[in-house]
Amino acid sequence: MSFDRTPKIAPSILSADFANFGAEIAAVEAQGADWIHVDVMDGHFVPNITFGPTTCAAIRPHIKTVMDVHLMIAPVDPYIQAFADAGADFITAHVEAGPHIHRTLQAIRAAGARPGVALNPGTPATAVAEVLDLVDLVCVMTVNPGFGGQSFIDMTAKIQQLRTMIGDRPIHIEIDGGVAPGTAKSVVDAGADVLVAGSAVFKGGSVHNPGPYGDNIRAIRAAYA
Ligand code: DX5
Ligand code: ZN
C-alpha cells in the first residue's frame, strides 16, 4: 500500500477527562478521530507531569485506530521498551531530550514501534537532517510543550523546509499545539499530514455529550478541505 499523506486528525487526550480515558477514546474515535495522540510528560523535560507506560498499557485496548505516543521526557532510552510493550504504534522522542537521538530512534525501531522525532519551536529543521532515514514521523511543535490550550506559534517556514528535506520518503509531518480551524489550513498547505488537536477537539463535549467532538473535528477538516 502506498504511503498515506491524506491529512489526519489526532485528538490529544491531554484535553480529555483523565478519570475516563477509555470512554473518552471510544467517544472521540466514534466522532471521527483518525489517530489518538498520547502526551507523556515528566515534570523535568517539560514543566508538567501526566502519566507513564502503565497508563498507556491500560488505555491501549480502547484505541481502535493508531496509538501515537509523544514522549516529553528526558532521558528517553530507559523507558522505550516499556512504552513499546504498552502497545504504542508510534513513539516520538524530542531531538532536544538528549545527546544521542540517533541511538534513541534506533532503539524505538528495535523495540517494535515506529519512531518519530519532535522539534521544539526554537529548534531548526536541520537538527533532524541526519536522522530522517530512521523515522516514520517528524513532529513540529507549534507551542512550547507542556500544556494544552496554548496559542499557536507559526512554524510555516520550518514545515515547508522539512517537507522539502523529506521528499518522497514515507515520513509523516505532524503538527502539535494550537491546531484549530483557524490554523489548520496553513499547516496542511505547508506540507503537514497529521494534525494533533487537544482543546480544539474536546471543547464543549463530554463522554455523555460527544456530539461536539464530531462538530469540532469536522470544523478542523473543513478548514483545509
Ligand atoms: C503540548 C502537547 C500537545 C497538546 C496540544 O505539550 O504535546 O499535544 O496537548 O494541545 P492543544 O491542541 O490544546 O494545543
Ligand atoms: Zn503532543
Side-chain angles (χ1 to χ4, degrees):
M1 201 180 89
S2 62
F3 183 74
D4 178 13
R5 222 183 279 285
T6 313
K8 291 162 279 294
I9 297 186
S12 167
I13 59 168
L14 187 61
S15 294
D17 174 1
F18 271 45
N20 225 349
F21 274 149
E24 288 276 44
I25 290 163
V28 82
E29 287 190 339
Q31 293 294 325
D34 296 301
W35 292 11
I36 298 296
H37 185 81
V38 180
D39 284 312
V40 175
M41 303 186 186
D42 68 351
H44 167 74
F45 180 70
V46 290
N48 191 11
I49 300 174
T50 55
F51 47 76
T54 310
T55 301
C56 289
I59 65 175
R60 172 68 265 195
H62 299 274
I63 299 176
K64 307 269 186 287
T65 57
V66 172
M67 186 180 196
D68 175 33
V69 175
H70 177 194
L71 297 182
M72 287 161 277
I73 66 174
V76 177
D77 295 10
Y79 305 102
I80 290 171
Q81 194 63 54
F83 285 104
D85 291 347
D89 294 299
F90 287 86
I91 298 178
T92 295
H94 271 261
V95 69
E96 308 88 359
H100 299 296
I101 188 66
H102 191 286
R103 174 185 290 148
T104 297
L105 295 169
Q106 286 183 317
I108 292 170
R109 182 87 67 192
R114 303 181 64 180
V117 64
L119 300 91
N120 282 333
T123 303
T126 50
V128 300
E130 301 300 328
V131 296
L132 286 179
D133 282 330
L134 300 180
V135 302
D136 292 340
L137 179 150
V138 177
C139 175
V140 177
M141 296 302 305
T142 39
V143 296
N144 287 296
F147 304 95
Q150 302 183 83
S151 298
F152 180 82
I153 303 169
D154 185 3
M155 292 281 132
T156 303
K158 190 195 292 187
I159 300 164
Q160 290 170 333
Q161 191 179 349
L162 283 164
R163 189 70 202 83
T164 301
M165 289 163 64
I166 286 168
D168 290 335
R169 286 181 274 198
I171 301 171
H172 298 288
I173 297 181
E174 176 178 79
I175 305 303
D176 189 0
V179 171
T183 52
K185 182 171 168 51
S186 70
V187 298
V188 171
D189 286 351
D193 68 291
V194 182
L195 275 54
V196 175
S199 46
V201 167
F202 284 95
K203 70 171 185 200
S206 72
V207 293
H208 306 296
N209 176 32
Y213 298 167
D215 296 340
N216 294 337
I217 289 170
R218 284 187 290 276
I220 296 170
R221 286 197 211 283
Y224 58 74

